[in-house]
Amino acid sequence: LTSGFSQELKPKFDELDPLSPSKAAFYSAVFPGAGQIFNKKYWKIPIVYTANGTSIYSYDFNQKKYWSYRNAYKSRKAGNSDDEYQNLILDDNRLLDGAKFHKKNRDLSMVFIVGFYILNILDANIDSHLKQYNVNETLTLRPYIENGSSTKSNSIGFSLNLSF
């Protein structure tokens, strides 16, 4: 009964598409999340967009703050006293520190954007490969305990069986 049930779920060799992993990776490269749709793993799409969206938001936020601190510093060096940090930050070097801080975080956000984009492509490709992986009863891994003829030769181990 169980072997007939598992036979229905296994794709036949002729039904496998060797280009499926490449298609999934291409779709994800063109439009993030499309490879997950191709693989019918719809639950991964919110994860892809949350990771990319958070990274893009962080990049945008830090870019704006970097320009804000930078422009305030340049304005003060030009002799103006009307920047947005006039009553908050009195030392010009603190403006430079703020600009450096947000520039570093902006650059780190770009690393995360690229990293999550690449992870999206890899996930689609690997998932498509694993869909074609054949798992059936011909390969088994079973633990065993062997009792020897003497009382001192007991052994514990695993056996790997492959039947054709």
Side-chain angles (χ1 to χ4, degrees), residues 33-34 36-47 127:
Q36 285 73 15
I37 293 170
F38 178 77
N39 291 332
K40 295 180 177 59
K41 300 287 183 169
Y42 303 110
W43 64 272
K44 292 182 179 182
I45 297 168
I47 295 170
D127 192 42

Side-chain angles (χ1 to χ4, degrees), residues 12-146:
K12 294 188 176 25
F13 183 74
D14 296 335
E15 295 174 1
L16 297 178
D17 182 12
L19 297 177
S20 181
S22 299
K23 287 179 187 177
F26 176 74
Y27 293 152
S28 276
V30 171
F31 188 75
Q36 285 73 15
I37 293 170
F38 178 77
N39 291 332
K40 295 180 177 59
K41 300 287 183 169
Y42 303 110
W43 64 272
K44 292 182 179 182
I45 297 168
I47 295 170
V48 168
Y49 283 108
T50 301
N52 286 327
T54 304
S55 300
I56 290 169
Y57 173 79
S58 177
Y59 178 86
D60 183 55
F61 173 79
N62 285 300
Q63 176 72 0
K64 288 177 182 173
K65 292 301 266 183
Y66 166 70
W67 280 102
S68 174
Y69 278 101
R70 184 179 172 272
N71 290 339
Y73 178 77
K74 285 185 166 191
S75 175
R76 285 193 189 176
K77 287 302 175 187
N80 299 329
S81 60
D82 59 346
D83 60 81
E84 61 184 294
Y85 303 107
Q86 190 60 44
N87 294 328
L88 296 174
I89 301 173
L90 302 177
D91 186 12
D92 292 349
N93 289 330
R94 300 290 72 93
L95 289 173
L96 283 178
D97 291 341
K100 287 178 186 175
F101 174 79
H102 287 289
K103 183 179 180 184
K104 179 185 69 129
N105 286 341
R106 178 201 64 187
D107 296 344
L108 188 60
S109 296
M110 181 53 75
V111 169
F112 278 107
I113 291 169
V114 171
F116 285 132
Y117 176 74
I118 291 171
L119 264 171
N120 160 56
I121 296 169
L122 286 174
D123 174 66
N125 185 285
I126 291 169
D127 192 42
S128 186
H129 269 293
L130 290 178
K131 279 181 22 180
Q132 297 181 13
Y133 187 70
N134 186 10
V135 178
N136 57 27
E137 297 84 26
T138 61
L139 181 64
T140 58
L141 182 67
R142 296 183 184 155
Y144 70 90
I145 298 176
E146 183 178 303

